[in-house]
Amino acid sequence: MITGNLAHLERLAGQLTGPIKKALELLAERDVTELPAGKTPLAGEDIFASVNVYETEPAADRRPEKHFQYIDIQVLGSGREKIGYTDMENAGEITEDRRETNDVVFYGKVEKENFVQLEKGDFAIFFPWEVHRPNCQFEGKAEKVKKIVVKVRMDQ
C-alpha cells in the first residue's frame, strides 16, 4: 500500500514505471475530484475512474476485499474515511467471489489489519496482493464521502 496527497504526485510518479506511473500522470493532469458520479475512462479500460458518493460505515460492517486484474488508487474528493489493509496471506475464507463479473472477492475476516486515514486530496494505492476494507468511519463518525477509485489494469 502506498499513500500520499494529490498535491505531491510528482514525488511518487518519478519513482514508478508502467501503468501505475501513467495513472499518476493522468491524475496530475486533471482534477479528478470534479468528475461526476459513475465511470469515466481515463485511458480506455486500462485506466478508468469510478466515482461514488456515500456515507461511511463502522469498520465491522464493511467486508475486506481484493482485486486481481486492477490496482486501486482510492482518492478522497471530499469527506474523511479510514481504509483497512493487510497482505492477502492474512485473509480468512472468501465469503463471496465476483471475480468473473467485477474483479473482486470478499473475505469474512482478516488478521494483522492496519488502517490508513484519508482526508480530501489524500490517496491510497492498493495492489492485487493486498486486501483492503474501504468506506470505514473516520474517528467513529459517519461522514458523507466523495471517492474516486482509479482502476489501473496490471501489466499482463
Side-chain angles (χ1 to χ4, degrees), residues 86-134:
T86 190
D87 290 329
M88 64 186 216
E89 292 80 12
N90 298 320
E93 302 236 351
I94 293 174
T95 58
E96 186 177 358
D97 188 337
R98 288 198 255 165
R99 252 178 280 212
E100 297 301 317
T101 58
N102 294 59
D103 187 43
V104 65
V105 295
F106 295 97
Y107 297 90
K109 66 176 188 167
V110 293
E111 296 179 0
K112 298 182 182 178
E113 186 175 25
N114 294 297
F115 284 86
V116 60
Q117 298 183 73
L118 303 180
E119 298 185 47
K120 182 180 180 178
D122 291 340
F123 64 87
I125 303 172
F126 299 99
F127 295 88
W129 53 85
E130 297 168 316
V131 174
H132 55 285
R133 182 193 310 253

Side-chain angles (χ1 to χ4, degrees), residues 12-63:
L12 184 57
Q15 303 304 310
L16 300 171
T17 61
I20 192 80
K21 178 183 176 106
K22 181 174 178 151
L24 292 175
E25 289 169 348
L26 289 168
L27 282 172
E29 290 173 4
R30 68 189 303 173
D31 185 359
V32 294
T33 65
E34 296 300 320
L35 291 175
K39 183 177 175 179
T40 301
L42 301 176
E45 287 298 309
D46 290 335
I47 303 173
F48 62 89
S50 179
V51 179
N52 296 291
V53 177
Y54 54 86
E55 197 162 286
T56 57
E57 301 175 31
D61 294 347
R62 300 295 308 163
R63 295 186 295 172

Side-chain angles (χ1 to χ4, degrees), residues 5 75-81 117-123 138:
N5 187 280
V75 181
L76 262 285
S78 65
R80 303 181 305 166
E81 97 174 34
Q117 298 183 73
L118 303 180
E119 298 185 47
K120 182 180 180 178
D122 291 340
F123 64 87
F138 189 103

